[in-house]
Amino acid sequence: MQFPITPQWDLISRLAKRKGASSKIVLLVLDGLGGLPRGSEGLTELETAQTPNLDQLARKGAVGAHDPIAPGFTPGSGLAHLAMFGYDPLVYEIGRGVLALFGARCFERDVMRPGEVAARLNFCTVEEKAGELIVTDRRAGRIKDGPASELINLLRARLSLPGVEFDLWQSKEHRAALQLKGPGWSGELEDTDPQATGVPPLAPAPRPVAAKDPAARRTAEVVADLLGQVREILRDKKPANFILTRGFDTYKEIPSMAKLTGMRCAAIAAYPDYRGIARLVGMEVIPTATDLANRNLPVAKRGEVTIEDEVAALEQVWSEHDFFFVHIKKSDSYGEDGNFAKKVEIIEQVDALVPRIIALKPDVLCVTGDHSTPAQMKTHSFHPVPVLMHGRLVMPDDATSFGERACQRGGLGRLRGTDLMPLMLAYADRLAKHGA
Amino acid sequence: MQFPITPQWDLISRLAKRKGASSKIVLLVLDGLGGLPRGSEGLTELETAQTPNLDQLARKGAVGAHDPIAPGFTPGSGLAHLAMFGYDPLVYEIGRGVLALFGARCFERDVMRPGEVAARLNFCTVEEKAGELIVTDRRAGRIKDGPASELINLLRARLSLPGVEFDLWQSKEHRAALQLKGPGWSGELEDTDPQATGVPPLAPAPRPVAAKDPAARRTAEVVADLLGQVREILRDKKPANFILTRGFDTYKEIPSMAKLTGMRCAAIAAYPDYRGIARLVGMEVIPTATDLANRNLPVAKRGEVTIEDEVAALEQVWSEHDFFFVHIKKSDSYGEDGNFAKKVEIIEQVDALVPRIIALKPDVLCVTGDHSTPAQMKTHSFHPVPVLMHGRLVMPDDATSFGERACQRGGLGRLRGTDLMPLMLAYADRLAKHGA
């Protein structure tokens, strides 16, 4: 119930300078950063954005591009983040359920034990037609945090599975997570989310590979029982009256980047999934001032974490950690909406905050995205992602701005996502020589 | 007791054109070639050097950069050379002892048998304080070859380990090597070199992984006996009165690049370690005129091999081989000393000799370094290493000079160290098509 250590991590852990290393690294991720030109001769989102501060860093440092998985492959966000953190996403395959649960419980000390099972839940709406349930909205109108957490509390109070230790956790809007505690469960369950409306939810069932596995069958039965009860409890509720399940997975322990590198690692992110993935690989998730204020507010009145909040949190905990992952979500969200102008705006907002990061004097600042989300495509894409590397040991290149075309001919060349971690460590002088 | 053949070598050996292939390849390695800018806006060592001949080759050919291991990792020299020769350094892990022994015995036909054990020895000085030995100089003031070889001769004459077949070999200055012959020994021994002065040498002991291995224990006992005798024999000697041991390793046979490629491979190098690594992978080490003259001189009167000697040796044996590895050491030595100007000077000396290499009409000339050693850092670094590739089949790029920035945007792109060998073979038209 433990992932292996890849040769790259083995080498990093053997070479990591632990004693006396005090250099600091900031990995600033604009989700979905990479884009495509608007029109046939146009500029990309990043090229369009006015980014005087990032451009100055590009002039001093070096740029390039990374393929999160490998050229041609489009990653999901969890997987792309794993790659940037140095975890080969084809080795460290982590289900969405485990990600969701770590996101929902990211501030807790113990989240899951190896062998436990988690699933991502979506609040949804269903209708009964001719005695059959039909999904009418897979996200229950993107139900707000307030009503969603009230429904979760109701379910927690009323659900009863004798002999089964389980729990439910709300994360954000329609998103929640299910945890099956203790040993004996299987993560090899199909989704009940039919990925379409106008059709019934699927019945909980083992995946074909586990069709004859007693643990998978038992897990499917328990989930069927749970969903039956959920349906009864939520039958007359609004704005959601049922849940869909996705991404069942068994939790396997992941070698911690904090332990492997000897760095105290911090994550600053507004969205639960990114907090979850950071927590999974051994980072401490830092609450922003808004998060702290929210703890004393009813769910419906809670504020949203802004980019400025995130930078303020970075300043706040600067002395306490060595590696800082700062995650900006909205560049991706606007890319997915096809909103070129708003994506440009987010990039400009981040640029305006860059001087505050530079004022902290990080030894290495790496600015990149987890993947590309061209507004033209309204979805994640396979295009290599711009990277900017700034620091004392960075060999400067000829770049005078931070943009896709500059990155294509940049001094860092075309990298793999998993190259970023050893490069950041090297530029921070945190890796010793290998071999005499 | 044999290293495996990597998929790349398997492919090369299947595709290598053996019959009728007469093309010649020169791999000219300036050790530690890569550098960093002097001052924040300055030029690197290679960019500063006046290199009209290399620049002309860059105009005709193509440039790029290679990461010896992978982006971010700093290699030792042995490992970096293995990579350039096509041997994945994470597969072919060779201890310093074996390298040192092959260096010391590089002109001999049989050096070691698989399973035999070697260690690198350093002459050192120690003092007795309160009944304890304390290391005072780990290199015995960089003892000269003359006195070092006299001490080796003395030890060879006087040491006695009944039933144990062993030998000692001097290589250069304070460096020597120990060979434990025959089967039954273990290379899993800790160093006795404490890597510091003012502390006692460490006692010979099995590495933790071999703590219970009888062969490792027996080897540790024999080495302890040997070191005890060394101490008695050298007690009143100068300038060294003891030895330290490092890099114990068992010799495993390495697939020969001569056999794998069908090329007659020659190595021309001034320093024992590079001769050793070349010999290990199946090259014939060519003695320079100075080496030949030295054979008739007392050790103390022997001359140093110059860069000009090396090029003369290349000319001398040109008709007898297909692949020529020419190694220039001092670019690295001056980099390690932080001597920017002297490193520049060595690069210029090499450049001045390039026309003599070109006059031989090699089909492929590859000029590169094994790793970077920026004078600013005074140590090996992880920075990608400039590569220049010249030959009839090289697709020219826009480069007009050979330097780090030109290489960053060069047509070869960013390569791995192990890419160089198949590329050189291909440019020399020595690899057939794979698949029908």
Side-chain angles (χ1 to χ4, degrees):
Chain A
M1 288 299 171
Q2 191 160 13
F3 280 105
I5 289 181
T6 51
Q8 178 171 302
W9 271 124
D10 177 57
L11 201 52
I12 289 175
S13 71
R14 284 157 67 190
L15 302 177
K17 295 182 182 178
R18 290 156 201 278
K19 276 190 191 162
S22 61
S23 56
K24 288 181 191 280
I25 299 171
V26 175
L27 171 62
L28 175 61
V29 175
L30 288 88
D31 206 296
L33 176 63
L36 282 173
R38 182 157 53 171
S40 64
E41 307 259 312
L43 300 176
T44 68
E45 298 91 316
L46 179 58
E47 290 170 343
T48 302
Q50 297 293 318
T51 54
N53 297 304
L54 290 169
D55 293 346
Q56 199 191 347
L57 295 184
R59 277 192 294 276
K60 289 187 190 168
V63 301
H66 78 90
D67 292 289
I69 305 174
F73 295 98
T74 300
S77 279
L79 196 145
H81 274 80
L82 279 176
M84 284 191 301
F85 299 151
Y87 294 84
D88 181 338
L90 302 186
V91 173
Y92 301 94
E93 291 201 53
I94 297 164
R96 190 143 193 175
V98 168
L99 274 188
L101 194 76
F102 271 80
R105 304 189 66 189
C106 66
F107 295 118
E108 295 176 50
R109 190 180 166 83
D110 296 305
V111 179
M112 290 182 86
R113 291 188 189 169
E116 291 186 347
V117 164
R120 161 81 180 273
L121 306 178
N122 267 17
F123 278 109
C124 69
T125 56
V126 290
E127 255 176 38
E128 282 187 34
K129 272 189 189 166
E132 204 176 40
L133 281 191
I134 300 293
V135 177
T136 50
D137 186 330
R138 290 175 52 239
R139 296 181 186 88
R142 292 193 182 266
I143 178 175
K144 296 270 177 277
D145 284 346
S149 88
E150 274 171 39
L151 293 179
I152 284 285
N153 289 339
L154 177 70
L155 291 172
R156 281 177 137 176
R158 302 267 296 275
L159 285 168
S160 158
L161 296 168
V164 178
E165 209 189 334
F166 71 100
D167 210 340
L168 304 174
W169 311 86
Q170 206 250 333
S171 68
K172 199 166 177 78
E173 300 168 345
H174 56 282
R175 306 172 188 90
L178 164 69
Q179 180 172 15
L180 295 176
K181 299 182 179 181
W185 304 111
S186 167
E188 293 288 356
L189 248 56
E190 299 275 18
D191 296 353
T192 66
D193 183 348
Q195 296 282 342
T197 53
V199 295
L202 304 169
R207 292 180 189 139
V209 67
K212 292 177 178 171
D213 173 20
R217 290 182 177 195
R218 183 166 160 260
T219 309
E221 281 165 22
V222 164
V223 171
D225 182 359
L226 180 133
L227 291 177
Q229 292 184 38
V230 167
R231 176 62 187 145
E232 289 313 309
I233 298 166
L234 300 186
R235 179 178 289 276
D236 302 315
K237 299 297 177 194
K238 283 184 180 170
N241 62 4
F242 196 37
I243 56 176
L244 300 170
T245 66
R246 304 164 66 173
F248 277 90
D249 192 25
T250 308
Y251 173 54
K252 289 163 75 175
E253 216 174 325
I254 299 169
S256 151
M257 63 175 277
K259 286 187 189 151
L260 290 166
T261 63
M263 296 191 293
R264 301 165 298 171
C265 302
I268 301 170
Y271 275 62
D273 278 7
Y274 308 94
R275 292 173 167 183
I277 190 93
R279 179 73 174 69
L280 257 173
V281 299
M283 299 191 212
E284 181 184 334
V285 181
I286 308 298
T288 65
T290 300
D291 288 298
L292 296 174
N294 281 346
R295 288 181 186 174
N296 301 317
L297 293 173
V299 176
K301 299 210 165 168
R302 288 179 184 171
E304 253 204 46
V305 174
T306 64
I307 302 175
E308 203 276 337
D309 278 340
E310 296 188 64
V311 174
L314 178 70
E315 293 165 336
Q316 194 73 34
V317 299
W318 185 249
S319 62
E320 294 158 33
H321 298 83
D322 305 301
F323 178 92
F324 302 85
F325 157 55
V326 183
H327 181 262
I328 312 297
K329 174 63 185 167
K330 291 200 168 160
S331 34
D332 177 60
S333 318
Y334 286 124
E336 296 223 340
D337 292 347
N339 195 332
F340 191 100
K342 278 285 191 184
K343 187 174 165 190
V344 168
E345 215 173 88
I346 294 296
I347 295 169
E348 292 180 345
Q349 281 179 30
V350 172
D351 184 77
L353 290 164
V354 162
R356 282 176 59 183
I357 300 176
I358 289 294
L360 296 168
K361 301 201 169 81
D363 295 271
V364 175
L365 170 58
C366 175
V367 186
T368 187
D370 53 343
H371 55 73
S372 295
T373 306
Q376 266 75 344
M377 293 178 68
K378 295 189 179 182
T379 183
H380 292 200
S381 84
F382 56 87
H383 297 90
V385 192
V387 183
L388 189 166
M389 200 70 79
H390 181 263
R392 181 176 61 86
L393 294 181
V394 176
M395 170 76 209
D397 60 9
D398 301 325
T400 55
S401 67
F402 186 40
E404 281 78 355
R405 286 170 182 86
C407 287
Q408 280 178 345
R409 51 176 187 262
L412 299 177
R414 188 164 180 168
L415 305 165
R416 290 288 163 100
T418 48
D419 290 330
L420 293 176
M421 180 54 63
L423 272 177
M424 288 186 285
L425 290 166
Y427 287 126
D429 196 16
R430 282 185 167 270
L431 290 182
K433 182 167 70 172
H434 181 44
Chain B
M1 287 300 170
Q2 191 161 13
F3 280 106
I5 290 182
T6 51
Q8 179 172 297
W9 270 124
D10 179 55
L11 202 51
I12 289 175
S13 72
R14 286 157 64 191
L15 304 178
K17 296 182 180 177
R18 290 157 202 275
K19 277 189 191 163
S22 61
S23 56
K24 288 182 190 280
I25 300 171
V26 175
L27 171 61
L28 174 60
V29 176
L30 288 88
D31 206 296
L33 177 62
L36 282 174
R38 184 158 51 171
S40 63
E41 307 261 310
L43 300 176
T44 67
E45 297 90 318
L46 178 58
E47 290 170 344
T48 301
Q50 297 294 317
T51 55
N53 298 303
L54 291 168
D55 293 348
Q56 200 193 345
L57 295 184
R59 277 192 295 275
K60 290 186 189 169
V63 300
H66 77 89
D67 292 289
I69 305 176
F73 293 101
T74 301
S77 277
L79 198 145
H81 274 80
L82 278 176
M84 283 191 302
F85 299 151
Y87 295 83
D88 182 338
L90 302 187
V91 173
Y92 301 94
E93 291 203 51
I94 297 164
R96 192 149 193 169
V98 168
L99 274 189
L101 193 75
F102 271 79
R105 303 189 66 189
C106 66
F107 294 119
E108 296 177 50
R109 190 181 167 84
D110 295 307
V111 178
M112 290 182 85
R113 290 189 188 169
E116 292 186 345
V117 164
R120 160 81 182 271
L121 306 179
N122 267 16
F123 278 108
C124 70
T125 55
V126 290
E127 252 176 41
E128 280 188 38
K129 272 192 191 162
E132 203 176 38
L133 281 191
I134 300 294
V135 177
T136 49
D137 185 333
R138 289 176 53 238
R139 294 181 188 89
R142 293 193 181 268
I143 179 175
K144 297 272 176 274
D145 284 346
S149 87
E150 275 170 37
L151 293 179
I152 285 284
N153 289 339
L154 178 70
L155 291 172
R156 281 176 137 176
R158 302 265 298 271
L159 284 167
S160 158
L161 296 168
V164 178
E165 209 190 334
F166 72 98
D167 209 341
L168 305 174
W169 312 85
Q170 206 249 332
S171 69
K172 203 172 173 72
E173 297 168 347
H174 57 282
R175 305 172 189 91
L178 165 69
Q179 180 172 13
L180 294 176
K181 299 182 178 180
W185 304 110
S186 166
E188 293 289 357
L189 247 57
E190 298 275 17
D191 297 351
T192 66
D193 182 348
Q195 295 281 343
T197 53
V199 295
L202 304 170
R207 292 182 188 134
V209 67
K212 291 180 180 168
D213 174 18
R217 289 185 177 192
R218 181 163 161 263
T219 309
E221 281 164 23
V222 163
V223 171
D225 182 0
L226 181 133
L227 290 177
Q229 292 184 39
V230 167
R231 176 59 187 145
E232 287 313 309
I233 296 166
L234 299 187
R235 180 177 288 276
D236 301 314
K237 299 295 174 195
K238 284 183 179 171
N241 62 6
F242 197 38
I243 57 176
L244 301 170
T245 67
R246 306 162 65 173
F248 277 91
D249 192 24
T250 307
Y251 173 56
K252 289 164 76 175
E253 215 174 329
I254 299 169
S256 150
M257 65 175 277
K259 287 186 187 150
L260 291 164
T261 62
M263 296 190 294
R264 298 165 297 169
C265 302
I268 300 170
Y271 274 62
D273 278 7
Y274 307 94
R275 293 173 167 185
I277 191 96
R279 180 74 173 69
L280 257 173
V281 298
M283 298 191 212
E284 182 184 333
V285 181
I286 308 298
T288 66
T290 301
D291 289 297
L292 296 174
N294 282 345
R295 288 183 186 172
N296 301 316
L297 292 173
V299 176
K301 299 211 164 168
R302 287 178 184 172
E304 252 201 48
V305 175
T306 64
I307 302 175
E308 203 276 336
D309 279 340
E310 296 188 65
V311 174
L314 178 70
E315 292 166 335
Q316 194 73 35
V317 299
W318 185 249
S319 63
E320 296 156 33
H321 297 84
D322 307 301
F323 179 91
F324 301 86
F325 157 55
V326 182
H327 180 263
I328 312 296
K329 173 64 185 167
K330 292 202 168 160
S331 34
D332 178 60
S333 317
Y334 285 124
E336 296 225 342
D337 292 346
N339 195 332
F340 192 99
K342 279 283 191 186
K343 186 174 165 190
V344 168
E345 216 172 89
I346 295 294
I347 296 169
E348 293 179 344
Q349 281 179 29
V350 173
D351 184 78
L353 290 164
V354 162
R356 284 174 60 182
I357 300 177
I358 289 295
L360 296 168
K361 299 201 170 75
D363 295 273
V364 174
L365 170 58
C366 175
V367 186
T368 187
D370 53 343
H371 55 75
S372 295
T373 305
Q376 266 76 345
M377 292 178 72
K378 295 189 179 183
T379 182
H380 292 198
S381 85
F382 56 87
H383 296 90
V385 191
V387 182
L388 189 166
M389 200 71 80
H390 180 263
R392 182 175 59 88
L393 296 181
V394 175
M395 169 73 206
D397 60 11
D398 301 326
T400 56
S401 66
F402 185 39
E404 280 77 357
R405 285 169 182 87
C407 288
Q408 281 178 343
R409 52 176 188 263
L412 299 177
R414 186 165 183 168
L415 306 164
R416 290 287 162 105
T418 48
D419 291 332
L420 292 176
M421 180 54 63
L423 273 177
M424 288 185 286
L425 290 165
Y427 287 127
D429 195 17
R430 282 187 166 270
L431 290 182
K433 182 167 68 174
H434 181 46

